[in-house]
Amino acid sequence: ESIKWYKRAADLGVGRAAAALGAMALRGEGMPKDPQAAEAYFKRAEELGFDVDGYLRQIGLQRKA
């Protein structure tokens, strides 16, 4: 259920929601583990002006190269 709301928020332009979806896809939380989807969410968050790398550092994740 939370995925639905994060997606809705991301669609409305909330960069943090897009970054959170990326983190969930990276970890496989609430959705299958999918590094490509994670990167797409991170890109969307950055397009919205969100500091994805700073966010990932705060939550203890590292972006896959």
Side-chain angles (χ1 to χ4, degrees), residues 6 16-17 23 32 50 54-55 57:
Y6 276 109
R16 185 180 184 97
F50 190 76
Y55 170 73
R57 276 192 301 277

PDB file of all heavy atoms in Angstrom, residues 6 16-17 23 32 50 54-55 57:
ATOM      1  N   TYR A   6       3.718   6.352  -2.398  1.00  0.00           N
ATOM      2  CA  TYR A   6       5.001   6.919  -2.812  1.00  0.00           C
ATOM      3  C   TYR A   6       4.989   7.202  -4.310  1.00  0.00           C
ATOM      4  O   TYR A   6       5.461   8.248  -4.761  1.00  0.00           O
ATOM      5  CB  TYR A   6       6.167   5.982  -2.473  1.00  0.00           C
ATOM      6  CG  TYR A   6       6.663   6.123  -1.061  1.00  0.00           C
ATOM      7  CD1 TYR A   6       6.426   5.125  -0.130  1.00  0.00           C
ATOM      8  CD2 TYR A   6       7.395   7.235  -0.661  1.00  0.00           C
ATOM      9  CE1 TYR A   6       6.891   5.232   1.176  1.00  0.00           C
ATOM     10  CE2 TYR A   6       7.868   7.350   0.635  1.00  0.00           C
ATOM     11  CZ  TYR A   6       7.610   6.349   1.545  1.00  0.00           C
ATOM     12  OH  TYR A   6       8.079   6.476   2.823  1.00  0.00           O
ATOM     13  N   ARG A  16      11.681  13.459  -2.973  1.00  0.00           N
ATOM     14  CA  ARG A  16      12.009  12.515  -1.892  1.00  0.00           C
ATOM     15  C   ARG A  16      11.233  11.206  -2.058  1.00  0.00           C
ATOM     16  O   ARG A  16      11.756  10.130  -1.769  1.00  0.00           O
ATOM     17  CB  ARG A  16      11.726  13.141  -0.536  1.00  0.00           C
ATOM     18  CG  ARG A  16      12.172  12.255   0.604  1.00  0.00           C
ATOM     19  CD  ARG A  16      11.879  12.904   1.966  1.00  0.00           C
ATOM     20  NE  ARG A  16      12.403  12.079   3.017  1.00  0.00           N
ATOM     21  CZ  ARG A  16      13.587  12.260   3.606  1.00  0.00           C
ATOM     22  NH1 ARG A  16      14.362  13.247   3.237  1.00  0.00           N
ATOM     23  NH2 ARG A  16      13.983  11.456   4.568  1.00  0.00           N
ATOM     24  N   ALA A  17      10.003  11.288  -2.533  1.00  0.00           N
ATOM     25  CA  ALA A  17       9.208  10.073  -2.750  1.00  0.00           C
ATOM     26  C   ALA A  17       9.834   9.225  -3.851  1.00  0.00           C
ATOM     27  O   ALA A  17       9.916   8.001  -3.722  1.00  0.00           O
ATOM     28  CB  ALA A  17       7.767  10.435  -3.109  1.00  0.00           C
ATOM     29  N   ALA A  23      15.206   3.591  -3.337  1.00  0.00           N
ATOM     30  CA  ALA A  23      15.810   2.835  -2.232  1.00  0.00           C
ATOM     31  C   ALA A  23      15.067   1.521  -2.008  1.00  0.00           C
ATOM     32  O   ALA A  23      15.687   0.477  -1.768  1.00  0.00           O
ATOM     33  CB  ALA A  23      15.813   3.676  -0.958  1.00  0.00           C
ATOM     34  N   PRO A  32       9.982  -6.248  -5.992  1.00  0.00           N
ATOM     35  CA  PRO A  32      11.167  -7.058  -6.284  1.00  0.00           C
ATOM     36  C   PRO A  32      12.428  -6.186  -6.355  1.00  0.00           C
ATOM     37  O   PRO A  32      12.368  -5.017  -6.748  1.00  0.00           O
ATOM     38  CB  PRO A  32      10.862  -7.663  -7.661  1.00  0.00           C
ATOM     39  CG  PRO A  32       9.378  -7.569  -7.811  1.00  0.00           C
ATOM     40  CD  PRO A  32       8.964  -6.358  -7.028  1.00  0.00           C
ATOM     41  N   PHE A  50      16.139  16.789  -6.180  1.00  0.00           N
ATOM     42  CA  PHE A  50      16.418  16.139  -4.904  1.00  0.00           C
ATOM     43  C   PHE A  50      17.848  15.608  -4.882  1.00  0.00           C
ATOM     44  O   PHE A  50      18.334  15.047  -5.870  1.00  0.00           O
ATOM     45  CB  PHE A  50      15.423  14.992  -4.674  1.00  0.00           C
ATOM     46  CG  PHE A  50      15.485  14.416  -3.297  1.00  0.00           C
ATOM     47  CD1 PHE A  50      14.941  15.089  -2.221  1.00  0.00           C
ATOM     48  CD2 PHE A  50      16.106  13.203  -3.069  1.00  0.00           C
ATOM     49  CE1 PHE A  50      15.008  14.562  -0.937  1.00  0.00           C
ATOM     50  CE2 PHE A  50      16.173  12.658  -1.803  1.00  0.00           C
ATOM     51  CZ  PHE A  50      15.626  13.340  -0.735  1.00  0.00           C
ATOM     52  N   GLY A  54      23.043  12.311  -1.264  1.00  0.00           N
ATOM     53  CA  GLY A  54      22.993  12.693   0.150  1.00  0.00           C
ATOM     54  C   GLY A  54      21.968  11.874   0.912  1.00  0.00           C
ATOM     55  O   GLY A  54      22.217  11.426   2.035  1.00  0.00           O
ATOM     56  N   TYR A  55      20.817  11.679   0.308  1.00  0.00           N
ATOM     57  CA  TYR A  55      19.752  10.864   0.916  1.00  0.00           C
ATOM     58  C   TYR A  55      20.233   9.425   1.127  1.00  0.00           C
ATOM     59  O   TYR A  55      20.047   8.858   2.204  1.00  0.00           O
ATOM     60  CB  TYR A  55      18.518  10.890   0.009  1.00  0.00           C
ATOM     61  CG  TYR A  55      17.434   9.920   0.386  1.00  0.00           C
ATOM     62  CD1 TYR A  55      16.637  10.131   1.509  1.00  0.00           C
ATOM     63  CD2 TYR A  55      17.177   8.793  -0.379  1.00  0.00           C
ATOM     64  CE1 TYR A  55      15.627   9.243   1.860  1.00  0.00           C
ATOM     65  CE2 TYR A  55      16.168   7.908  -0.041  1.00  0.00           C
ATOM     66  CZ  TYR A  55      15.401   8.139   1.070  1.00  0.00           C
ATOM     67  OH  TYR A  55      14.401   7.250   1.408  1.00  0.00           O
ATOM     68  N   ARG A  57      23.290   8.353   1.458  1.00  0.00           N
ATOM     69  CA  ARG A  57      24.275   8.337   2.548  1.00  0.00           C
ATOM     70  C   ARG A  57      23.575   8.335   3.901  1.00  0.00           C
ATOM     71  O   ARG A  57      23.958   7.601   4.810  1.00  0.00           O
ATOM     72  CB  ARG A  57      25.215   9.540   2.449  1.00  0.00           C
ATOM     73  CG  ARG A  57      26.382   9.331   1.516  1.00  0.00           C
ATOM     74  CD  ARG A  57      27.441  10.418   1.666  1.00  0.00           C
ATOM     75  NE  ARG A  57      26.934  11.757   1.413  1.00  0.00           N
ATOM     76  CZ  ARG A  57      26.810  12.310   0.207  1.00  0.00           C
ATOM     77  NH1 ARG A  57      27.165  11.637  -0.865  1.00  0.00           N
ATOM     78  NH2 ARG A  57      26.348  13.546   0.076  1.00  0.00           N
TER      79      ARG A  57
END
